[in-house]
Amino acid sequence: KIKFIDAANTLEWRSLSADLTINIDSFQEMPPDTITTYMNDIVVNGRYFYVKNPTGKYRPESIGIDTDNPSRFQDVFSLGLCREVMDLFNEASLEISRLKYLEAYRPKGGTLIADKPLNLFPYYHHALYRTA
């Protein structure tokens, strides 16, 4: 049974309990306070939590995006819990960002069950936690 919830309907999601809570590719676009609310009001009420997001930030010019106006990108660096800039082409940098990511998105009292970098985009990471 799957239930999709409206993030604006706080009465619905604050009382929700699920076997599995999933977050894919949105934490890096949320303010940190929003993520904290999500983790404290939704994730901790479930049994398991699966997350797949980028493990950090990268400079647009590192992938060929013209940054003639760097201020266009400044807000991006304030979102998510993993805001440190990583080198997408350096395995040591990616490994450091992965370890920080696994800790940043660990639910309170949660236990990491499994994790793995995404093969195609190694700056993304899969993680599954037991929350209860």
Side-chain angles (χ1 to χ4, degrees):
K1 218 159 124 178
I2 295 177
K3 182 172 185 170
F4 295 97
I5 57 173
D6 178 357
N9 186 347
T10 58
L11 292 177
E12 181 180 11
W13 57 260
R14 284 203 168 144
S15 62
L16 190 65
S17 177
D19 289 328
L20 175 64
T21 305
I22 299 171
N23 180 278
I24 298 174
D25 208 14
S26 68
F27 277 159
Q28 286 298 84
E29 300 170 3
M30 293 181 190
D33 289 346
T34 302
I35 298 168
T36 300
T37 299
Y38 183 97
M39 297 293 284
N40 291 339
D41 291 348
I42 298 173
V43 172
V44 297
N45 293 330
R47 292 181 54 212
Y48 295 93
F49 175 54
Y50 168 80
V51 60
K52 181 188 68 88
N53 281 274
T55 60
K57 303 294 183 178
Y58 56 88
R59 301 264 176 228
E61 59 272 12
S62 72
I63 59 167
I65 296 175
D66 183 19
T67 56
D68 57 344
N69 184 1
S71 64
R72 291 185 326 171
F73 299 98
Q74 286 311 109
D75 63 330
V76 169
F77 293 100
S78 68
L79 301 174
L81 297 181
C82 299
R83 296 183 298 272
E84 290 186 28
V85 175
M86 63 186 156
D87 180 347
L88 296 177
F89 305 102
N90 179 304
E91 185 56 36
S93 177
L94 290 170
E95 187 58 32
I96 290 167
S97 70
R98 289 175 189 138
L99 293 173
K100 291 178 180 180
Y101 167 89
L102 290 172
E103 193 54 40
Y105 293 115
R106 177 188 308 272
K108 286 182 186 172
T111 304
L112 182 65
I113 296 174
D115 73 288
K116 181 180 178 181
L118 194 66
N119 290 335
L120 186 58
F121 300 107
Y123 58 94
Y124 272 80
H125 205 80
H126 300 279
L128 179 64
Y129 299 92
R130 180 179 300 112
T131 56

